[in-house]
Amino acid sequence: MKQHMNRNILIIALVTFAILSMGSCKKFLTEKQVATLTQDYYNDESGLNSLINGLYVYSRVKHEWEANGARLIEPETDAYMTATAANAQMTSANYGTNVSAIANNNVTNFLGSANSNYAPMGTYPHINNCNIALDIIDNIKPGKFGSDEAYRKSRRAEILFLRAWAYYLVSNQLGDVPLLLTPRREDDGIYYFPKAKLEDIYKQIISDVRFAYENLPPTTSERGRITKWAAGHLLAKLYLNRAQAAGYQSSGEVHLKMLYKGNVATDLDSVITLATEVINGKGGVAGMAPDYWTLFNPAVAETSPHNEVIWAAQFDINISLDGRFGGNRSCNYHIGDYTNQTGVTRVQGYGRPFGTFKPTDFAYDNFRDKVYDSRYYKTFSSEYIGNMPTATSTSYTWTTAAATWWNANKPAGEPAIPLPLPNPAPKRILQGKRAIIYLENQKDEALDSTMVMSMPFQFMVRWIKSSVTNRFYYRLWHNGANMGLATGMSAPYLASKKYVDPLKGGSSDEANFNSENGTRDAILMRLAETYLIRAEAYGRKGQYSQALADINVLRQRAAYKGGENRPNVLVEWEPKATLLAPSEKVFPYPANGDAYDKIQVTEAYFTPGTPQALAEGYIATVTSKPDMFIHFIYNEKVREFLTEGIAWEDQHNAGILYDRTVYLNQMASDKTGLWPVAFNTASGNGQNGNGKGQMKKAYTFRPWPNNYLVLLTDETGKPLDDAVRLAYQNPGY
């Protein structure tokens, strides 16, 4: 039985299909178990529609199951890493072999896996189902598929798009992969799956997505269904990816040469044409959400998703409709532990604090203007409020030294702490009061250590300085313990709030606070990305003024608007809050006019030697204006799309994943001397200025898992020998 299940990596059984359900409370593409099916079921109009609708399950692959998607599409990049040190350091055991954790647990599942209760799920099971659907729609043409050619083409376009999407995702991970275009309906014992060149894969998927773009409608009444604009967005991205790697065919760097997808002189023009059509079709600037947080605020996004969202994976508040893993599990992966001695217990509004992934220091620092660019405080949860009664609170307690400082320096109106301290000492964090705040400052902005450690809340400050010894300390917990990097304590940390789900588990009942079952839709494409796709194409052609116009569409939205309130953490503690006008420092801290002029981008931002370029913090290998422009685009993508699941694949396809990771992600890097040094080096595990990791260029592609390779055969069904399997494996593994 185990061998049979392993073979489902390569072959297909019938999957659990989805059907359209107009009665769902908020979704339209939802799953329904269909018992005892034969393949003939799909040969009539109703069955074929069920099969096509079921293909949309694959849209969830990035977010439904951490081992299947999120682990492969979020970390390890310049701005995001795994919270567990061994993963974040990209050790060989986790990343470097065909039996490493990433190969066995993640790539295997991504290719396709099954268990005793469910049919196969993953890329190649999905692709085979697409091929079955294409075979039926092209050759049997049941019912309306035979009588209405426009209808048939539209549905065929969906299938081709969804198959191309799968090839796009799997080739991002593995490069050359098998290109299977005909259905396989039975197991004949022959597992001959030679790899196709990435150039041929891109020819196929560009052709398929172009058909989709030409035959899909611009709008749909069914949330989650592919439209013309989703196809146009992906098609523009495919042309851009091919153009990005056009010069790598003869590269001496193997990991770059593997990215080569062909060299077509018109690709950048095609990007601009298609992106323009998508932008205009979605309403141009008016198609952008006026407030960045609108896109992620569950109170709005789940009932009235903004037109900026081009395509989103659908999940339902009815968890039984959300497939084998019970919904959008991304709600679990991005939130650090906010409960450790904080007086805060888990609640729906704060999310389940698994602490799986976390931002790098660069992710925070890359928001170069936290005072005028609203995206920083709209991305991160900068403050938590105590929610536990004092009698049962987990809060840490006052010390005599901390209470003495507080009593001498507390703001007017705040209560004093009784001294001498009673026994037991009183809890520091009170119900309804501030429990944790975060400040990501620089070493030259270090705060006084005594002040930080004497607050009636956990004040998580990156850099503090002793006024007694003048020593600098990096990330100390409230009791002086080392945090961050490879010290073994990764939380608490300033976490993304884009996936917080107050209906986790299927309702707002606080009894669901431990549920892992998210209900929120997961954005896969939005118009802001289309603008940056076009901007990159313009910039690669040297047309910087056009590129800047697109970039500044995002900046106009990002700027604090007149009357918009800034968060109190920003006004109280951000070092550059001193730039605010006096009226902006008075509660509720309304912005005094539009801040766009403070964050508008000009060519100076990517012109060598300018103050703006220096402030952007380009890595050492980036010295020319064209290269600075490219890296500015990817800096901006981090600011706009952090945790949205596109950074790894985007940087990978641009050929800059390795450089950005080793220069900007300290945990993955093997470089020395790139970071400021603290006194608390923690025997080299803390901030000693050096990288902690083992990132290699080969890791920009994934290894083929051994449990896949050992199943491969030649055309006759004979198992491949070791030499042939080694040749199949990606370089470096």
Side-chain angles (χ1 to χ4, degrees):
M1 175 62 73
K2 188 175 189 295
Q3 180 73 359
H4 172 73
M5 286 304 176
N6 282 341
R7 285 178 176 176
N8 281 323
I9 296 172
L10 310 175
I11 65 172
I12 283 304
L14 295 173
V15 299
T16 301
F17 293 109
I19 66 170
L20 287 177
S21 173
M22 301 306 291
S24 170
C25 62
K26 77 180 182 79
K27 313 294 182 204
F28 297 100
L29 287 171
T30 54
E31 289 183 52
K32 177 181 177 181
Q33 183 91 18
V34 182
T36 317
L37 297 179
T38 67
Q39 294 192 29
D40 289 342
Y41 172 84
Y42 306 106
N43 292 340
D44 65 20
E45 180 183 331
S46 175
L48 180 54
N49 270 317
S50 293
L51 173 54
I52 295 170
N53 294 342
L55 299 176
Y56 279 88
V57 171
Y58 189 78
S59 69
R60 299 171 175 172
V61 72
K62 286 188 174 186
H63 297 277
E64 186 171 39
W65 184 20
E66 176 266 340
N68 199 29
R71 179 77 65 183
L72 296 174
I73 56 93
E74 286 289 356
E76 298 335 292
T77 65
D78 53 1
Y80 224 56
M81 61 183 177
T82 308
T84 304
N87 287 86
Q89 290 171 297
M90 303 191 77
T91 63
S92 179
N94 283 281
Y95 281 89
T97 72
N98 61 356
V99 292
S100 61
I102 199 79
N104 273 350
N105 299 335
N106 306 111
V107 180
T108 293
N109 290 327
F110 196 79
L111 287 169
S113 65
N115 59 37
S116 59
N117 297 317
Y118 293 94
M121 170 183 168
T123 299
Y124 279 99
H126 166 78
I127 286 170
N128 198 66
N129 286 327
C130 290
N131 290 336
I132 290 172
L134 288 169
D135 185 43
I136 296 170
I137 206 170
D138 287 343
N139 296 309
I140 298 177
K141 301 180 181 179
K144 190 175 181 181
F145 292 96
S147 62
D148 187 335
E149 182 64 6
Y151 176 78
R152 188 186 77 86
K153 284 185 174 181
S154 178
R155 297 295 263 162
R156 187 175 191 274
E158 290 179 77
I159 303 167
L160 288 173
F161 176 96
L162 291 165
R163 187 179 70 177
W165 178 249
Y167 275 119
Y168 170 69
L169 294 183
V170 74
S171 65
N172 285 339
Q173 299 294 323
L174 291 161
D176 297 349
V177 296
L179 182 61
L180 309 180
L181 303 176
T182 58
R184 180 163 180 155
R185 290 185 168 91
E186 61 182 26
D187 182 1
D188 60 5
I190 297 175
Y191 310 119
Y192 177 62
F193 298 108
K195 295 192 292 186
K197 292 293 185 184
L198 199 53
E199 181 175 3
D200 294 327
I201 293 167
Y202 261 66
K203 286 178 182 176
Q204 181 67 49
I205 61 178
I206 284 174
S207 174
D208 289 348
V209 181
R210 180 160 287 284
F211 180 92
Y213 182 64
E214 292 169 352
N215 289 280
L216 285 169
T219 60
T220 176
S221 60
E222 299 159 345
R223 279 172 61 182
R225 193 173 288 285
I226 296 298
T227 66
K228 178 182 184 70
W229 307 129
H233 177 100
L234 177 58
L235 189 55
K237 196 167 188 176
L238 293 173
Y239 281 125
L240 179 61
N241 291 164
R242 190 164 67 182
Q244 289 167 329
Y248 293 152
Q249 185 176 21
S250 301
S251 175
E253 296 280 8
V254 175
H255 73 294
L256 296 179
K257 188 172 183 178
M258 289 174 65
L259 288 169
Y260 180 75
K261 305 170 179 74
N263 188 350
V264 179
T266 57
D267 274 348
L268 290 177
D269 293 325
S270 296
V271 174
I272 293 167
T273 297
L274 283 160
T276 299
E277 291 174 4
V278 173
I279 289 167
N280 292 342
K282 292 291 288 182
V285 174
M288 295 278 286
D291 184 340
Y292 185 72
W293 178 237
T294 298
L295 296 162
F296 312 104
N297 181 355
V300 179
E302 292 304 291
T303 56
S304 304
H306 196 273
N307 182 58
E308 180 178 334
V309 177
I310 298 173
W311 187 35
Q314 301 296 292
F315 295 91
D316 204 286
I317 196 170
N318 183 345
I319 300 300
S320 66
L321 299 176
D322 280 339
R324 73 178 74 182
F325 303 111
N328 182 353
R329 292 172 59 86
S330 286
C331 63
N332 301 296
Y333 305 142
H334 306 282
I335 302 168
D337 187 1
Y338 55 80
T339 67
N340 196 351
Q341 300 183 39
T342 61
V344 183
T345 190
R346 295 180 180 182
V347 289
Q348 293 280 72
Y350 287 153
R352 190 166 188 182
F354 271 21
T356 306
F357 307 128
K358 62 183 294 187
T360 64
D361 284 357
F362 164 74
Y364 304 126
D365 297 343
N366 184 54
F367 289 85
R368 304 294 169 180
D369 195 327
K370 300 179 177 71
V371 172
Y372 296 112
D373 186 336
S374 71
R375 290 175 296 186
Y376 181 80
Y377 280 94
K378 290 175 181 177
T379 293
F380 297 114
S381 295
S382 57
E383 181 174 15
Y384 293 83
I385 303 299
N387 58 14
M388 302 181 73
T390 301
T392 58
S393 174
T394 60
S395 168
Y396 67 122
T397 58
W398 284 101
T399 65
T400 297
T404 300
W405 186 95
W406 173 254
N407 288 345
N409 296 279
K410 66 180 180 63
E414 291 291 327
I417 309 303
L419 287 172
L421 291 174
N423 188 15
K427 303 285 179 68
R428 281 214 205 184
I429 300 165
L430 303 179
Q431 188 174 18
K433 298 293 186 178
R434 176 178 277 172
I436 321 174
I437 64 170
Y438 296 89
L439 181 69
E440 292 295 328
N441 60 345
Q442 302 303 305
K443 186 175 180 179
D444 62 0
E445 300 166 336
L447 298 185
D448 177 70
S449 58
T450 303
M451 179 270 289
V452 169
M453 295 297 188
S454 302
M455 290 294 182
F457 50 83
Q458 288 191 19
F459 195 1
M460 297 295 102
V461 180
R462 187 194 303 182
W463 285 100
I464 61 175
K465 181 181 179 182
S466 168
S467 59
V468 177
T469 65
N470 287 323
R471 291 170 177 165
F472 290 89
Y473 294 85
Y474 174 89
R475 297 199 188 283
L476 294 182
W477 200 33
H478 69 81
N479 64 358
N482 292 311
M483 295 194 307
L485 298 178
T487 61
M489 184 174 179
S490 62
Y493 57 82
L494 182 61
S496 170
K497 59 185 177 181
K498 289 182 177 180
Y499 295 105
V500 170
D501 188 349
L503 299 180
K504 190 159 50 72
S507 77
S508 59
D509 190 336
E510 287 297 338
N512 289 336
F513 65 78
N514 276 333
S515 173
E516 299 177 26
N517 300 321
T519 66
R520 298 190 59 182
D521 296 345
I523 298 172
L524 299 173
M525 302 175 183
R526 56 186 178 90
L527 193 58
E529 186 188 6
T530 320
Y531 271 105
L532 288 187
I533 288 170
R534 188 172 70 174
E536 182 172 346
Y538 277 134
R540 286 181 179 271
K541 289 171 66 69
Q543 298 173 359
Y544 294 128
S545 61
Q546 293 95 322
L548 287 168
D550 284 345
I551 294 165
N552 281 321
V553 168
L554 277 62
R555 288 297 180 108
Q556 286 174 318
R557 193 256 301 279
Y560 280 107
K561 306 299 186 293
E564 181 179 4
N565 296 333
R566 291 183 172 89
N568 54 3
V569 174
L570 185 165
V571 177
E572 290 178 77
W573 296 107
E574 282 295 342
K576 292 184 174 58
T578 55
L579 300 173
L580 295 174
S583 62
E584 295 178 301
K585 299 178 184 179
V586 178
F587 183 83
Y589 317 117
N592 183 12
D594 194 311
Y596 171 58
D597 64 322
K598 303 290 197 306
I599 62 170
Q600 181 181 6
V601 179
T602 66
E603 283 192 43
Y605 280 68
F606 44 86
T607 298
T610 65
Q612 295 90 333
L614 292 172
E616 195 64 22
Y618 294 110
I619 62 178
T621 57
V622 175
T623 57
S624 69
K625 185 171 184 177
D627 284 348
M628 283 187 177
F629 170 80
I630 296 304
H631 282 263
F632 179 84
I633 287 288
Y634 287 87
N635 287 354
E636 192 69 10
K637 282 191 171 186
V638 170
R639 291 182 276 261
E640 181 73 20
F641 302 110
L642 186 69
T643 73
E644 293 183 49
I646 64 172
W648 190 95
E649 63 195 32
D650 278 1
Q651 293 175 28
H652 165 80
N653 281 312
I656 58 178
L657 176 61
Y658 172 77
D659 282 351
R660 288 182 69 90
T661 301
V662 296
Y663 278 98
L664 299 171
N665 179 341
Q666 189 174 359
M667 280 297 285
S669 177
D670 62 356
K671 296 192 175 297
T672 60
L674 295 184
W675 293 272
V677 178
F679 179 76
N680 56 321
T681 57
S683 301
N685 296 312
Q687 188 51 274
N688 63 353
N690 299 329
K692 313 297 180 186
Q694 302 175 23
M695 172 67 165
K696 294 179 172 60
K697 292 175 181 178
Y699 296 175
T700 60
F701 285 91
R702 310 298 189 184
W704 288 92
N706 184 66
N707 56 10
Y708 171 91
L709 296 174
V710 297
L711 294 174
L712 294 174
T713 72
D714 64 15
E715 300 96 320
T716 68
K718 180 182 177 181
L720 302 182
D721 61 31
D722 290 344
V724 176
R725 287 201 297 268
L726 181 60
Y728 199 101
Q729 182 59 274
N730 278 332
Y733 295 102

